[in-house]
Amino acid sequence: MVELAAQPEQLHNLPAQPGVYIFRNADGQVLYVGKAVNLRNRVRGYFGRSGDNRFSIEFIRRQAHTVECVVTANEKEAFLLENELIKRHKPRYNIRLRDDKTYVSLRIRMNHPFPRLEIVRVRRYAGERLDRGDLYFGPYVSTSAVRATLRFLLKIFPLRTCRDRVFANRTRPCLLYDVGKCCGPCVLPVSQEYYQGLMEKVARFLRGRRQEVRDLLEAQMQ
């Protein structure tokens, strides 16, 4: 933690790495949480001439007493940590992400014999227990990238995406079955063992074991 009263000398000692910075007032309350590719340059920018014309910057300069930096492995981890800290502390000068909005995750609903894969926004902090034993992957920074990943997975693994109520009341397979993106477990005799195998392959892919998907694609191409 750096005492801002001693800047700019001490700001040169901040890490030039990606991470999250936290401005606190004299009472230790969190004023603002931000992320940066280079923590040293970003924090120094608050106290020099910069192109940041946000109305709150001047108030942060006046009230900030200390700045704390948390180094992360990369920019993506900085995004996710920033989101979590804003939710936890609700800083006065953070407007974005203070409400219930958060980054997206992929969820596999495990409370059904034929689980579905869906995009959700989960309000939680790292380490909290998730109910019903559902599997969560993420959170992810880019919603568009997650949607593209889901479309890609459904081309290879024909999982259902319909809600439970729709699934329970179908009398014939839907359009996704007709185009090969669902195996139709709602009305067709699809075994739970086969479907479970699909879900396990999807889970392995989302955990980073992508070679199995490559092998499957190559086999389909042949």
Side-chain angles (χ1 to χ4, degrees):
M1 183 177 293
V2 172
E3 293 281 348
L4 293 174
Q7 67 87 27
E9 290 78 9
Q10 289 195 29
L11 294 182
H12 289 284
N13 298 323
L14 294 176
Q17 297 170 269
V20 170
Y21 56 93
I22 306 167
F23 286 119
R24 297 179 184 269
N25 63 15
D27 297 326
Q29 296 176 328
V30 176
L31 294 173
Y32 185 81
V33 176
K35 61 184 176 300
V37 178
N38 184 312
L39 287 166
R40 181 191 303 165
N41 292 344
R42 185 70 184 97
V43 174
R44 288 172 62 186
Y46 280 84
F47 302 93
R49 293 183 178 180
S50 68
D52 195 333
N53 297 318
R54 286 177 296 170
F55 184 73
S56 60
I57 295 299
E58 184 61 32
F59 292 95
I60 294 174
R61 289 196 192 104
R62 294 176 183 175
Q63 299 180 41
H65 185 262
T66 60
V67 61
E68 176 183 351
C69 292
V70 181
V71 175
T72 59
N74 49 54
E75 187 178 4
K76 177 182 177 181
E77 288 190 8
F79 267 101
L80 302 179
L81 180 58
E82 178 201 36
N83 175 53
E84 179 177 330
L85 291 176
I86 291 174
K87 292 293 191 303
R88 183 182 300 174
H89 296 292
K90 298 187 181 301
R92 179 177 182 180
Y93 296 111
N94 280 102
I95 303 302
R96 188 176 63 88
L97 297 179
R98 279 187 59 178
D99 55 13
D100 290 341
K101 293 182 180 179
T102 185
Y103 295 118
V104 297
S105 298
L106 283 171
R107 176 173 66 186
I108 299 178
R109 305 301 303 269
M110 302 305 294
N111 61 340
H112 195 282
F114 297 100
R116 70 189 185 106
L117 184 64
E118 59 185 342
I119 298 174
V120 295
R121 293 185 182 271
V122 183
R123 289 176 291 169
R124 66 185 178 98
Y125 300 130
E128 288 189 355
R129 183 178 179 272
L130 298 175
D131 58 0
R132 295 193 300 273
D134 295 342
L135 295 180
Y136 288 80
F137 301 92
Y140 303 106
V141 175
S142 173
T143 303
S144 59
V146 173
R147 295 187 185 280
T149 300
L150 182 59
R151 289 194 297 269
F152 168 75
L153 290 173
L154 293 178
K155 289 180 181 179
I156 305 170
F157 305 107
L159 304 172
R160 79 173 179 100
T161 57
C162 58
R163 298 183 179 275
D164 292 351
R165 180 178 296 180
V166 175
F167 179 89
N169 291 282
R170 291 209 67 87
T171 58
R172 63 174 301 278
C174 65
L175 180 61
L176 289 176
Y177 170 80
D178 293 333
V179 298
K181 292 185 179 181
C182 180
C183 58
C186 53
V187 295
L188 299 179
V190 177
S191 69
Q192 292 188 25
E193 291 77 14
Y194 167 77
Y195 198 89
Q196 183 64 33
L198 294 177
M199 298 303 301
E200 290 175 356
K201 290 176 182 177
V202 168
R204 286 197 290 268
F205 174 83
L206 293 174
R207 292 190 179 107
R209 296 171 60 180
R210 299 179 176 86
Q211 186 59 46
E212 296 179 24
V213 175
R214 293 194 186 101
D215 294 342
L216 178 59
L217 286 173
E218 289 179 1
Q220 291 177 350
M221 291 168 62
Q222 296 297 331

